[in-house]
Amino acid sequence: MSNIYVTIDYYNKEDDVYVLHFPNYEVRQGIVYSLTNYLMDISDWDRNATILAMARALKRGDLSSALTELRSYIASLPYDIITRKEWMAKKKKEAFYKLLMYVVFSLLNSKVDTEVKSVLGRADVVVKTKNDIYVLELKVDDSVDNALAQIDSKGYAIPYEADGRTITKCGVTISSEARNIVHWRAVDNEGKVIDEQKYE
């Protein structure tokens, strides 16, 4: 792989972590395509079918179907793509799924960002399409109630209220035992439930 340059966005003293930033679109896409080979260890046909199905779902404003496709894709990942030691660290789990969602949504030609800063905190994932903006909060071994409460308490959706596109807030929970998405709830900007899926 050719050299790819990133810049330091900011330093989080509490976690002793440097957050990097892509200086331009070309660098961003280069990294996304490099990560694709690592995260998507399935056939090109299966990968492309998943991406196409998710793209079609998001184009028609169907976040639930897109997440269903994503859940099926996650189930196809090799079990050793992340080591048990890494998996047992909660921050590693959340970081892995944020990275996974970033790569998948980026391949859809959607505008996607992770750790999106606002005045009170950082939203896990924000996806923008032509007609919609999806604000997602991921929780490992936690509840969608807490995920949605964090979106509201931290005001993650507020920066997009004047945008004109439809805002959907979505709490997504991941089970350590299942190593997959097990519950999500999507609500509109007023808090009305649009869709909910839970897997036992």
Side-chain angles (χ1 to χ4, degrees):
M1 183 177 68
S2 60
N3 292 334
I4 296 177
Y5 300 97
V6 294
T7 58
I8 296 173
D9 191 17
Y10 64 93
Y11 173 66
N12 185 326
K13 289 183 180 179
E14 182 179 340
D15 297 328
D16 191 28
V17 169
Y18 287 93
V19 177
L20 302 179
H21 176 73
F22 302 131
N24 56 50
Y25 177 80
E26 289 74 19
V27 169
R28 177 175 175 263
Q29 287 303 103
I31 290 179
V32 166
Y33 286 122
S34 296
L35 291 171
T36 299
N37 295 328
Y38 169 71
L39 290 175
M40 295 192 165
D41 189 19
I42 56 177
S43 72
D44 289 343
W45 175 262
D46 289 338
R47 180 188 67 199
N48 293 340
T50 298
I51 297 302
L52 181 59
M54 289 182 67
R56 287 174 173 167
L58 287 176
K59 186 175 181 179
R60 64 177 183 266
D62 187 355
L63 178 62
S64 183
S65 291
L67 289 173
T68 299
E69 289 289 340
L70 178 59
R71 185 175 186 274
S72 295
Y73 161 68
I74 291 171
S76 73
L77 291 173
Y79 72 93
D80 57 353
I81 197 169
I82 182 170
T83 67
R84 179 170 177 77
K85 182 179 179 181
E86 290 174 323
W87 190 253
M88 295 314 293
K90 183 175 180 181
K91 287 183 180 179
K92 291 285 187 180
K93 299 172 193 175
E94 291 183 355
F96 175 78
Y97 280 101
K98 287 175 190 175
L99 175 61
L100 178 64
M101 294 181 78
Y102 179 88
V103 170
V104 171
F105 283 116
S106 291
L107 290 171
L108 302 176
N109 291 322
S110 301
K111 171 65 174 172
V112 59
D113 288 301
T114 60
E115 295 290 325
V116 182
K117 291 184 289 185
S118 62
V119 70
L120 293 177
R122 298 190 301 273
D124 281 343
V125 182
V126 176
V127 181
K128 299 177 183 178
T129 66
K130 182 178 179 181
N131 299 312
D132 297 276
I133 296 177
Y134 302 103
V135 181
L136 295 90
E137 184 66 27
L138 312 181
K139 293 291 182 185
V140 175
D141 297 329
D142 204 336
S143 69
V144 294
D145 296 307
N146 287 340
L148 289 167
Q150 183 170 329
I151 292 173
D152 288 336
S153 66
K154 300 293 187 180
Y156 293 157
I158 294 174
Y160 313 107
E161 289 180 347
D163 183 276
R165 284 176 279 190
T166 301
I167 299 172
T168 300
K169 298 178 284 191
C170 186
V172 179
T173 60
I174 296 152
S175 163
S176 293
E177 184 177 353
R179 288 196 177 195
N180 209 334
I181 297 169
V182 292
H183 189 190
W184 70 75
R185 182 186 303 142
V187 302
D188 64 19
N189 208 31
E190 303 302 317
K192 180 180 178 181
V193 177
I194 299 169
D195 184 74
E196 183 169 7
Q197 296 289 332
K198 189 172 185 178
Y199 299 88
E200 298 299 332

